[in-house]
Amino acid sequence: MTTYNRLFIGGDWVAPVTGDTYELTSASTEEPIGSVPAASEADVDVAVSEARRAFEDPDGWATWEPARRADAIDELANQLELRAEEMARRVAAQNGMPITIAKQLEGGFPLIVLRYYANLLRSSSFETQQPHLLGGTSTVRREPLGVVAAISPWNYPQTLASFKIAPALAAGCTIVLKPSPETLLDSFLFGEAVAATSVPAGVVNIVPGGREVGAYLVGHPGVDKVAFTGSTAAGRLIAETCGRLLRPVTLELGGKSAAIVLDDADLNLEVVGERLFESLLVNNGQTCYLGTRVLAPDNRYDEVVDTLAAFVAGLPVGDALDPQTMIGPMASALHRDRVEGFIDKGRGEGARVVTGGERSDRDRGWFVTPTVFADVDNNSVIAQEEIFGPVLAVIRYSDVDDAVRIANDSRYGLGGTVWTSDPDRGAAVARRVHTGTIGINRYLPDPSAPFGGVKDSGLGRELGPEGLNAYLNVKTIYS
Ligand code: NAD
């Protein structure tokens, strides 16, 4: 059991206002693994005022030379590196992410993101001068927006928090992070890492809470910018609040991306198996950008279905902490029930189960049997709704125009892939898909390039220089 009794606010471990707690459970064994205090609205008030105080400090974080802030961000990356194994273990235990993946992503990716922004900061200019068109000089400054409310989901709690924290810190903002109730033990370890650096008190504050606390934080008068990753439904509510308050907001929301298999694709699993796994199934399907709608050409339809079915049926399912595991459990019993509901719905709609489909026979853990549906109609629920589990729907297309039409026939537009032996042909198809990101024969987000969605998948971009701009106000001084 990992137990915390205090919250990380104002650079210190402070007693929470109420005695409410969150009990954390292993997704693989359903055993208790930890207990942490819950933040109330009163704790959020303290966290926002600490973040405000740290932001307004005339000698504080926002006023530091970029190189000094960059050094402190590197320090944070180094402190997280010291805790990377434990971080991966905590995330895997809580949300079911297989430990080998958790080490690479939750243990490793935030370090890459932090170091990328530290380096970007060292090479960025925050003030330029130009001749005023009507005579004189215009000085254009890029200044930190202020106090950031960062709200993260449970599927990649550390990685997705780093997409917000790293650029916000680089910009000179201060942060109140609200992690998701399913994954809190990792956020306390993150707090320990921050406490071990020279990042000043109050620059990073953490308020563990559910949607009510999140909504309270989003609308808090002391917040200047909101950065959210989570469901489209919650994103809409947050956008409404931010619209009313004219508060800048970045939204990374749901997805239902297409994996377009062209008729010249190499389907040899020895060659493409790992990349198919990363693009279609990683983290037990609990990943926003996965290409869970597989579009297969008429003339190779059966081959695509059989290949995917054999691949999915052969993936080792097991305890998330077992290094052999490729597919772990769902993050919660509620989510497992939701995914199973979609599988029932798919069968009811007439799609053909090729592998999986039945309830998991494990007596412990929130497991779902990895499932492939064939003969799926793109208008059906399992083709249009985000399932967020190890469930693939294979849809038939007649020619490339038909494939592009089906790929774009979705309310989402976050990720996607094109599978082909001809990269130029792949790029031509990729250009026609309405989405924020897309890969050719792979899908691997690049920390130095913008990431995000169109349509119901979100607003704005994280990562890359665009991700830094989202935390900066551009101010012009005429002289
Ligand atoms: P969720 O929307 O239920 O919760 C996400 C976070 O928002 C949690 O911390 C939650 O407590 C908080 N929250 C919920 N309602 C809120 C509200 N009204 N105001 C403020 N905060 C609120 O989502 P989830 O189930 O935790 O995560 C899964 C979803 O996240 C999926 O839809 C997935 O596609 C999406 N996601 C998107 C990306 C992306 O980059 N686009 C990445 C990962 C996950």
Side-chain angles (χ1 to χ4, degrees), residues 179-198:
S180 191
E182 291 83 354
T183 43
L184 292 172
L185 296 176
D186 53 293
S187 69
F188 282 77
L189 193 59
F190 178 78
E192 289 176 19
V194 175
T197 68
S198 59

Side-chain angles (χ1 to χ4, degrees), residues 22 150-156 160 163-164 178-182 209-218 226 228-235 237-238 241 251-256 286-289 335 338 386 388 412 414 451-453 457-458 462:
Y22 282 108
I151 299 180
S152 51
W154 47 260
N155 61 335
Y156 293 91
L160 296 172
F163 285 18
K164 299 155 185 54
K178 193 208 76 63
S180 191
E182 291 83 354
R211 60 188 51 201
E212 291 78 16
V213 164
Y216 182 73
L217 175 62
V218 165
V226 176
F228 172 78
T229 299
S231 61
T232 298
L237 293 172
I238 290 169
T241 303
L251 301 168
E252 298 287 358
L253 310 176
K256 186 75 185 182
Q286 300 176 138
T287 306
C288 50
Y289 56 67
H335 185 50
R338 198 174 156 268
E386 181 179 49
F388 229 53
Y412 294 113
L414 183 59
F451 172 85
S457 292
E462 296 191 309

Side-chain angles (χ1 to χ4, degrees), residues 418-447:
V418 185
W419 300 85
T420 173
S421 300
D422 178 348
D424 290 340
R425 202 173 162 224
V429 174
R431 288 191 193 99
R432 297 176 63 191
V433 180
H434 302 154
T435 185
T437 61
I438 189 161
I440 299 167
N441 296 324
R442 71 192 291 224
Y443 187 99
L444 183 63
D446 172 4

